[in-house]
Amino acid sequence: RDADVTVSVSSHVPKPHTPFQWCAMDTVDEIRRKQKILKETSRAERVDLKWHEPTSSWVEGIFARGDRRLCDVLEDAWRGGARFDGWDEHLKIAIWQEALAKHRIDTTLYLGTIPVDARLPWDHIDVGLAEGFLAWEYRRALKDRLSHPCGKPYKTLLHHTTIEDALADGRKLVCYDCGVACDLTKMREERLVYLRKLDAHKPDAGGLSPSGEAPEPPRFIAPAIPKERRRCHPKPAFVQGAGTRYRVRYTKLARAAYTSHLDTSRMLQRLLRRAELPVIYSRGFHPHPDLIFGPALGLGIAALAELVDVRLDGDPGEAAVLSRMRAASPEGIRIEQVARLDEHDPGIARVLCAGDYAALLPAGLAIDPTRVPATVERMHKGEVKIIDVARFLVTCRFAEEPEAALLRTQLDWPAGAILLSRVRILGDGSAKASEVIESLLGGPPPSEIRHARLALWAAEDTDLFDLPSLRTLKRPAARTAAESPIDAPLVAEPLPDTEAAAV
């Protein structure tokens, strides 16, 4: 009763070089009908259900078995604004439909049943399988006939788990002559080698008892374990000290802006290794480096003042950490500032309240920054999620010269109007920079807009490197708009000095 069960269901997309490369794919309406049945069943069974967007699977199915005629379709869709279509919120199915209609592509040729003897676009690629093997497997599947796992004894679902059973079974190993030409004798010998390494003997391999009967297996009585020791505590695989916490501010510009949040985390781990700064790891079955980041940035959004808290083994000092990390930083990543934290200093998420953003608008795009922002609808786990941008937006205005010129120099942006906004970052959510623009426009923003995050702030314009001021703050980690220390109305007023915030 206490378990949470999640079921992930994906639509079947026929793929090349598989036994199902000839079969048809369900239509979008049929996939939706099946998903509706699953949703109703999952609600009744109290199971969390995850599924794929049917239109996304439709595009995947066309290109999975497509030929060179789809090259122009792909290019036209890209030129029409198709970007990051693997994410449901970015999929613009109308663009793909227009591109297919423009080139008069009949999608039934790629989504319908293909004759087994038909010429396939990928026939010239040799994947090592014998000719006719996939067709043989396909015909068996249509007759609901199973193919037992190859490499195992005939009519055996699993490998033998003891040496005695493996030696006693002299049946041939299953082989379907797929073309790989496995050495079955060597496979059987390797299996015995692994079992002997594990000392996998039968518990009663010693023979019969003196009376001629099989000996009774020994009874195991578990020793009494104190209540405080009943939980599993993995033994640490390495020894490390308590460590010292440091707060690091860095930029994310040029090509680095197109690095995802997860890849940025991996990049900083490699950066610290190159800088010979040992990181403290968590204790458990899967140790992780003790790195705490600020809010994740969307792909392609530049940043002038990103934050990360890192715990290092030892205390090399602020100057040493700054110089070593700068020397090991890749293109677009520059370490701007390092501060040593005490054990009682609050973390980033505990005091973070707002972020400053900049957007470079294309020529001819009219935005009124004093307009009350509207709500934005987003797809979230298959359901529409309403985002109240007015709840999060604090200030919004256009940058004036020379402030705009400074930002264009720092971010390497061309000429154009720059819209500055401050957005609350609360425990129950926030609004993206693109959602702010969309709410002010009243519709989807053009793809030419560039975004950047300029700074992150704690309460009342407090910089997160102002440690004496942060130590006086006592704010819970989960905040709402009513509890936020930044509670100014939406007005066109100047933001703090952007140059100082960036540095």
Side-chain angles (χ1 to χ4, degrees):
R1 294 179 180 178
D2 298 333
D4 294 330
V5 180
T6 301
V7 177
S8 298
V9 180
S10 60
S11 310
H12 177 246
V13 178
K15 296 293 178 66
H17 309 298
T18 68
F20 301 101
Q21 62 184 356
W22 296 281
C23 69
M25 180 178 172
D26 284 341
T27 63
V28 173
D29 292 338
E30 177 65 11
I31 295 175
R32 292 191 191 279
R33 186 189 69 83
K34 293 180 178 180
Q35 289 181 348
K36 182 180 178 181
I37 297 174
L38 292 175
K39 292 175 187 177
E40 294 172 352
T41 307
S42 64
R43 280 194 293 267
E45 299 292 339
R46 296 182 180 180
V47 171
D48 293 331
L49 180 68
K50 295 183 179 180
W51 61 91
H52 284 188
E53 176 62 29
T55 52
S56 176
S57 300
W58 179 77
V59 175
E60 182 184 353
I62 293 173
F63 281 90
R65 300 194 298 185
D67 51 25
R68 67 185 62 189
R69 287 177 291 181
L70 296 180
C71 293
D72 294 335
V73 175
L74 182 64
E75 182 178 355
D76 283 356
W78 173 78
R79 295 188 182 281
R83 302 288 191 278
F84 307 113
D85 296 77
W87 297 330
D88 294 343
E89 62 268 24
H90 291 282
L91 176 62
K92 303 178 181 66
I93 193 63
I95 296 177
W96 293 101
Q97 292 172 339
E98 291 174 4
L100 290 167
K102 176 182 176 182
H103 295 278
R104 300 179 181 179
I105 298 297
D106 184 7
T107 57
T108 58
L109 296 176
Y110 306 111
L111 301 177
T113 303
I114 301 176
V116 177
D117 56 352
R119 187 76 182 273
L120 301 175
W122 51 90
D123 277 346
H124 62 285
I125 301 175
D126 183 10
V127 295
L129 295 177
E131 184 177 357
F133 172 73
L134 292 178
W136 179 73
E137 284 285 323
Y138 177 51
R139 293 188 180 97
R140 287 178 60 87
L142 294 179
K143 297 177 182 178
D144 294 336
R145 299 176 68 177
L146 295 177
S147 295
H148 294 277
C150 59
K152 298 181 177 65
Y154 182 61
K155 291 187 177 181
T156 302
L157 183 61
L158 300 174
H159 281 292
H160 294 298
T161 57
T162 64
I163 300 174
E164 289 76 17
D165 289 341
L167 290 173
D169 194 343
R171 290 177 294 179
K172 290 183 60 177
L173 300 185
V174 176
C175 178
Y176 295 102
D177 295 324
C178 65
V180 177
C182 302
D183 189 340
L184 299 181
T185 303
K186 188 175 181 180
M187 290 174 64
R188 191 188 294 272
E189 293 173 353
E190 286 182 346
R191 183 68 185 173
L192 286 170
V193 170
Y194 296 142
L195 290 173
R196 290 190 178 103
K197 285 184 177 179
L198 296 172
D199 195 22
H201 288 280
K202 278 189 174 182
D204 56 347
L208 300 177
S209 64
S211 61
E213 299 178 355
E216 183 180 351
R219 297 179 61 190
F220 175 75
I221 301 176
I225 301 176
K227 185 176 181 180
E228 61 273 10
R229 292 180 52 199
R230 289 178 185 175
R231 296 193 63 180
C232 181
H233 296 284
K235 185 178 179 181
F238 48 87
V239 179
Q240 55 186 3
T244 308
R245 295 171 62 211
Y246 287 91
R247 180 160 295 163
V248 179
R249 178 146 49 196
Y250 62 95
T251 65
K252 194 176 177 186
L253 303 172
R255 296 174 62 183
Y258 295 92
T259 305
S260 68
H261 181 71
L262 182 59
D263 288 335
T264 300
S265 172
R266 295 169 179 158
M267 179 270 297
L268 285 174
Q269 295 175 37
R270 294 192 293 267
L271 188 155
L272 290 166
R273 285 199 297 270
R274 288 196 299 266
E276 298 182 352
L277 294 171
V279 181
I280 293 293
Y281 279 74
S282 62
R283 299 181 183 274
F285 290 104
H286 302 286
H288 295 284
D290 194 344
L291 297 174
I292 301 176
F293 291 84
L297 273 177
L299 199 67
I301 299 179
L304 293 177
E306 289 302 280
L307 298 174
V308 60
D309 287 352
V310 56
R311 188 183 294 273
L312 300 178
D313 194 0
D315 188 4
E318 297 175 358
V321 174
L322 178 63
S323 60
R324 290 188 192 180
M325 292 188 69
R326 277 187 175 178
S329 297
E331 178 188 356
I333 303 295
R334 175 177 170 80
I335 309 302
E336 299 287 353
Q337 192 175 357
V338 174
R340 186 184 185 278
L341 304 177
D342 293 337
E343 283 302 315
H344 300 291
D345 283 334
I348 296 174
R350 193 167 184 82
V351 295
L352 186 63
C353 287
D356 289 346
Y357 294 86
L360 179 67
L361 307 180
L365 187 65
I367 289 183
D368 183 6
T370 62
R371 176 177 176 267
V372 177
T375 57
V376 175
E377 294 185 359
R378 283 284 178 267
M379 290 295 295
H380 181 67
K381 294 183 179 180
E383 299 178 357
V384 177
K385 179 181 179 182
I386 305 298
I387 300 169
D388 186 5
V389 178
R391 176 171 172 255
F392 300 105
L393 188 60
V394 180
T395 59
C396 186
R397 67 179 178 89
F398 281 105
E400 299 180 357
E401 300 295 340
E403 184 183 19
L406 175 62
L407 286 175
R408 284 192 287 266
T409 302
Q410 292 175 320
L411 299 169
D412 194 21
W413 281 356
I418 296 180
L419 184 71
L420 302 177
S421 60
R422 172 170 292 185
V423 179
R424 291 188 184 95
I425 300 174
L426 308 177
D428 57 346
S430 184
K432 299 178 182 179
S434 59
E435 292 169 348
V436 173
I437 304 295
E438 183 176 352
S439 67
L440 295 176
L441 286 174
S447 58
E448 296 85 1
I449 295 180
R450 299 189 187 184
H451 296 279
R453 184 154 67 192
L454 307 180
L456 294 171
W457 299 97
E460 300 174 357
D461 294 347
T462 303
D463 185 62
L464 275 85
F465 276 74
D466 186 0
L467 299 181
S469 299
L470 293 179
R471 289 162 186 161
T472 62
L473 298 177
K474 294 183 179 180
R475 296 287 174 182
R479 299 179 300 277
T480 63
E483 300 169 337
S484 175
I486 297 180
D487 199 15
L490 175 61
V491 294
E493 61 181 19
L495 295 175
D497 184 358
T498 308
E499 182 178 2
V503 175

